[in-house]
Each structure stands twice: as C-alpha cells, then as structure tokens.
Amino acid sequence: MSAVREGVRQVMAWLHGWTGLLLGWVLFVMCLAGTLSVFKPEISQWMRPETTAKADPADAVQAAATWLTKNAKDTNAWYFNVPNARMNTVEATYDSGGTFLYRALDPVSGAPAPRETLGGEFFYRLHFELELPYPWGRLLASIAGMVMLVALITGIIAHRRIFKDYFTFRPAKGQRSWLDGHNALGILATPFHLMITFTGIVTLASLNMPWAITAAYGSDYFNVYHDLTPGVFERARANVPVPLAPVAPMVRAAQRQLGGTVGRVYVINPGDKAAVVTVFRSDADQLGFNPAEMSFDGVTGQPLTKWIENRGAVQTYNVVYGLHMARFAPMATRWLYFLGGLMLTLAIATGLVLWIVKRRERAPLSRANRVLERLNAGVIGGVPLGCAAYLLANRLLPLGLAGRAEMEVSVALWTAAAALLAGAALPPRWSWPILTGACALACLFAALLTFSASLVSAVLALTAIGFALLARKQLRGPAKRPERKRRTA
C-alpha cells in the first residue's frame, strides 16, 4: 500500500512540475497583476494626484452627464462607475467616433482629470486579458487558471509532510532552500489559493464552458444577456433630439428604492427621446452581491422598471464572483487578499527557479534548460520592472501629452520586453542582480516622486527595500556550503 502511495505522489509531483512550467510565466503575470488589482481604486487615485475634490455620488454623476452632454455629442451610451469611499472620480466609458473612450471625470466639474491615465484599470485588465485582443486574452487566462488549479491539487497530493512544511525553512542549502520557500509560500495560504483560482475560473465560465449557452441559445447573445439581466430596460433610439432630464434626482430615487449605495449608472441614447437611465446598486455592500437596478425615462425622469435579483442559481454565481473580486472587503481583508496573492505570485516564481536549481544540482543543464533559466530572469525580474515603469511614467510624462494613457501602458510593456531581452542575453549571474536592482530603483523613485503618506507610496517603498535586498543577495552569489570534515580514528 505504501508503494502505491509513493507511486501516486511521484506521478502527482511530475504533473505538478510540468503543469506549473507549462504556463508558469503567464500565471506569474496574472497573479502579480491580480494582486495589485486588490488596491485598484487606491492606485487610480494615487495616479491622479491633482484630482482631490469629492462630491455626493448623485451630484458627481450629474456633473459628469452635464460635461458629456456638451463635449461628447452623438454618443449612443454613457457608462458611469460612481465615486465611493475608495475612489473620488467618476469612471466614464462612452463611444466617440466609433471607438470607446475611458475617462476619469472630476466629481465637481465633470471634466476629465488633468492627468490622463488608466490608473489601476491597467493592472485589472492585464490580470484577465493579458493585453491581448478579445477573446484571446481571456481565453488564455481561463486556460491558465485551470492549469493553476491542477498544479495546486497535484502539489497538495504530492506532499508527504504538508503540516511540517508550514514551519520548515533551511537557508543557504541550494535546492533544499528553494523547495522550502516554495512549499511554505504555497502551503501557508493554500485555502486562499484554491478559492481565488476556482472563483477566477468560474468568472470566465462562458469562455471555458460555453456549451450550455450554445445549446440553449445558439448565437443569440442578445437573449443570453436579457435573460441574465432581465431588469435592464431597453428601447431603440428614436432619432428625435430631446434634452436629457437631470440625472441626480433619478439616482437618489433609485437609492431609496433599492437600498444600499449606488455603484453604476448607465445612460442609453442620451439626448434622444428614447433615452433611458438605469441605476445599479453597488456590489461593495455584501459578499454575495444581490444585483438590483432601476430604470427611468431619460426625458421625463419617471420610473420605468425595478428589478431585484432573487434567482438561486444567479445568486450562487454572485457569491463566487463576489469572493473573487473582493469589493465587499474592508481594509484588513483587502490586505489579507493582497498578501495571499503575493504569496501565490512568489510561489510561482520560486517554482520556476526551483525547476532549474533541481536540474543544475543533478547534472549540467541542457540547452533548453539554459534558455529557460535566462528567460526566468527576464520574466520574473522584468514584469515587476514594467509595473514600476508604468507608475514612473505616470509621474514623468507631460500632463497635456496626446494619448498619454496609452503611452503609460506602452512604457510598461516595452520596459518588460527590454528586461526579457536583457535576461535572455546576459548570463543569470548578472541578469538577476541588474533586473532586481532596477526594480528597486524604479520603485524607490516612484515613491519619492509623490512625497505622500499614501498606501501606494508605502507599498512602493517596502517593495524597493525587498528588491534591493534581493539584488544584494544576487550580487554576493550563492552561499558556499561548509564542507564536513571526516573524523579520523
């Protein structure tokens, strides 16, 4: 029986290693971006230091609607994310000239924030879209999530001393030290890792398991959306210009009727006789978000429909979705999410390094593993460097620069690409300290450029210290293991 158990563990260990290696770099990017997305509103506010005004949510939406009425004519729809305790701007998405624009609007004037940036939205989108066009980025993220779940389960089965590994770390012992670190990072937050991976897969279920939708609806996606959100009132554009009624009274009326706080406001056909204003309750008030919305005639301001979700299957999905997004979480819980995500990111990174260390100690590395070793340095050092460069670009690029938000993203991507090339070109003995040292400097400069006591600046300073210590360790090289002296009789 023990031989069978050992055989199963060996198979699980083999599967764990290969599944982790297969999409390890993709998972590293996803987990790092997802971890940063825990503080998405705080990052967005940090990246717009000039916009400090605050306003009541209804008044802020009214200001945004007034500005768009004057400056974004001939649009089909406005989509607003309402300010809350963590974010003071109105996040607006609207179509202009056939393309959708994203702008953060001042809650008092309604005008775009002077510092054009995607803010934390970049990390949020990178987490599940990987900067690839729809649906390929989300499909790759979905596949990577399923691979991650397999790696987690096989890693648990492969452990013989899972509880002992909670407290075991032996420094300066080569492969054993990397294995101890990888085990500790994975085991200490295993329940969180399983939860966040499974719920992430479920949020993309329409991509990774589309067959039920296809069987029931075929390609009729309009009815799919309608059945999932039956409370949204829709009607065709009348092409009769009529001014939009004040939006603030509708928002306040919906808040009284729905309870809780307002999270989103959609204005369909603005400036048209068939305009519709739909107000959605916030999903930050409860763990298992219970959707509720209320629609108004955009011209008269009279209520049209009210809907509160009470279907069991949909509510079950909303609990899973709410757990993954963590918008319900108070500050202490958000920090736990952040630390759990950071541990998962580091577990992936140490697993990728461990693959090389284990094989180097057995025999000289093959050509494929030497390439993998160099690319590990480029990815693990380059992706954080790209994130830090994104924050630095936010402070260094001129405010009035055309396409400024897109340029910040380009700086991040090109920096990461350059780091990947440096990792591939340089020996690991030099690429690791150079890239980790560059990360430390970039995080330090980004923190110093703000001169504030904000959460983001504090995290940047701590990250700079961590990367500086890692760079120093890499420059010193691996510790030499003391030779044991044989006893003489």
Side-chain angles (χ1 to χ4, degrees):
M1 194 66 178
S2 61
V4 173
R5 285 198 298 269
E6 286 303 313
V8 170
R9 287 196 183 99
Q10 288 177 4
V11 171
M12 292 296 106
W14 176 88
L15 185 58
H16 176 77
W18 278 102
T19 51
L21 182 69
L22 182 64
L23 288 174
W25 296 330
V26 174
L27 288 168
F28 179 77
V29 175
M30 288 174 58
C31 290
L32 178 60
T35 300
L36 295 173
S37 297
V38 172
F39 293 114
K40 171 189 164 185
E42 287 79 7
I43 292 173
S44 295
Q45 193 153 335
W46 182 87
M47 296 181 75
R48 302 185 185 103
E50 298 83 6
T51 308
T52 58
K54 294 184 179 181
D56 177 79
D59 295 333
V61 173
Q62 181 63 65
T66 301
W67 187 88
L68 286 171
T69 299
K70 298 176 181 177
N71 297 277
K73 299 178 180 179
D74 301 323
T75 59
N76 294 314
W78 307 333
Y79 304 98
F80 299 134
N81 283 330
V82 178
N84 53 44
R86 301 174 61 193
M87 178 185 68
N88 68 324
T89 56
V90 179
E91 293 189 338
T93 305
Y94 57 95
D95 60 302
S96 177
T99 60
F100 272 89
L101 300 177
Y102 168 84
R103 295 287 184 269
L105 306 181
D106 188 280
V108 175
S109 67
R115 191 176 296 265
E116 183 188 347
T117 177
L118 290 180
E121 186 74 13
F122 167 66
F123 298 119
Y124 173 65
R125 294 287 170 180
L126 180 65
H127 170 58
F128 69 95
E129 290 184 335
L130 298 165
E131 284 299 307
L132 296 174
Y134 181 85
W136 306 114
R138 297 188 183 195
L139 186 59
L140 178 58
S142 176
I143 294 171
M146 290 185 280
V147 168
M148 183 76 235
L149 188 60
V150 171
L152 287 171
I153 294 172
T154 54
I156 293 170
I157 297 173
H159 267 288
R160 286 180 297 180
R161 304 174 304 170
I162 190 167
F163 294 105
K164 186 176 180 180
D165 287 337
Y166 269 98
F167 309 102
T168 301
F169 181 71
R170 288 156 285 192
K173 293 188 181 294
Q175 176 186 333
R176 176 53 58 185
S177 299
W178 283 104
L179 183 59
D180 287 345
H182 178 70
N183 288 342
L185 289 165
I187 292 170
L188 284 171
T190 295
F192 173 82
H193 297 163
L194 289 170
M195 180 277 292
I196 208 70
T197 303
F198 174 75
T199 54
I201 295 170
V202 173
T203 60
L204 295 172
S206 60
L207 280 175
N208 53 51
M209 293 184 293
W211 307 286
I213 297 175
T214 304
Y217 294 93
S219 59
D220 188 2
Y221 294 107
F222 175 82
N223 278 326
V224 174
Y225 176 75
H226 181 270
D227 288 349
L228 284 174
T229 56
V232 176
F233 187 89
E234 297 175 326
R235 59 187 178 189
R237 193 177 187 89
N239 293 318
V240 178
V242 179
L244 183 70
V247 177
M250 304 182 211
V251 174
R252 291 192 174 97
Q255 187 166 348
R256 288 192 299 269
Q257 292 287 324
L258 301 176
T261 57
V262 172
R264 293 170 293 143
V265 177
Y266 292 174
V267 182
I268 310 300
N269 305 324
D272 188 81
K273 185 179 179 180
V276 177
V277 177
T278 302
V279 182
F280 298 82
R281 189 168 59 190
S282 172
D283 62 353
D285 295 338
Q286 48 197 320
L287 168 59
F289 171 54
N290 189 21
E293 59 251 30
M294 190 170 180
S295 295
F296 299 82
D297 188 290
V299 176
T300 66
Q302 294 300 309
L304 296 172
T305 61
K306 184 177 78 169
W307 168 263
I308 298 178
E309 181 62 70
N310 55 16
R311 293 173 293 178
V314 178
Q315 288 177 317
T316 300
Y317 170 82
N318 289 332
V319 171
V320 174
Y321 179 80
L323 277 170
H324 190 81
M325 302 303 293
R327 295 191 183 116
F328 70 92
M331 179 60 75
T333 308
R334 287 198 295 275
W335 273 110
L336 290 176
Y337 265 76
F338 181 83
L339 292 174
L342 186 62
M343 292 174 72
L344 182 56
T345 305
L346 292 174
I348 294 168
T350 53
L352 290 168
V353 173
L354 180 61
W355 176 276
I356 297 300
V357 172
K358 185 185 295 186
R359 281 151 183 79
R360 186 194 293 120
E361 291 192 359
R362 292 176 182 172
L365 290 177
S366 65
R367 180 176 298 178
N369 281 327
R370 287 199 300 271
V371 171
L372 182 64
E373 181 183 29
R374 294 194 175 204
L375 293 180
N376 272 346
V379 173
I380 297 172
V383 174
L385 181 59
C387 295
Y390 174 71
L391 300 177
L392 266 178
N394 174 259
R395 289 295 191 263
L396 298 178
L397 292 176
L399 288 183
L401 189 65
R404 189 180 186 283
E406 291 77 10
M407 191 166 293
E408 286 181 358
V409 174
S410 296
V411 168
L413 298 180
W414 282 111
T415 300
L420 181 62
L421 290 176
L426 295 173
R429 175 72 179 84
W430 293 108
S431 60
W432 278 109
I434 288 173
L435 293 176
T436 52
C439 286
L441 290 174
C443 290
L444 179 62
F445 288 153
L448 291 176
L449 284 172
T450 61
F451 295 106
S452 68
S454 68
L455 179 148
V456 177
S457 297
V459 171
L460 281 170
L462 292 174
T463 306
I465 294 171
F467 274 116
L469 293 174
L470 184 59
R472 180 173 177 270
K473 173 69 175 176
Q474 293 293 334
L475 279 172
R476 293 175 63 184
K480 294 182 179 180
R481 299 175 64 179
E483 296 182 1
R484 294 182 178 180
K485 296 181 178 180
R486 293 183 178 180
R487 292 184 179 181
T488 55

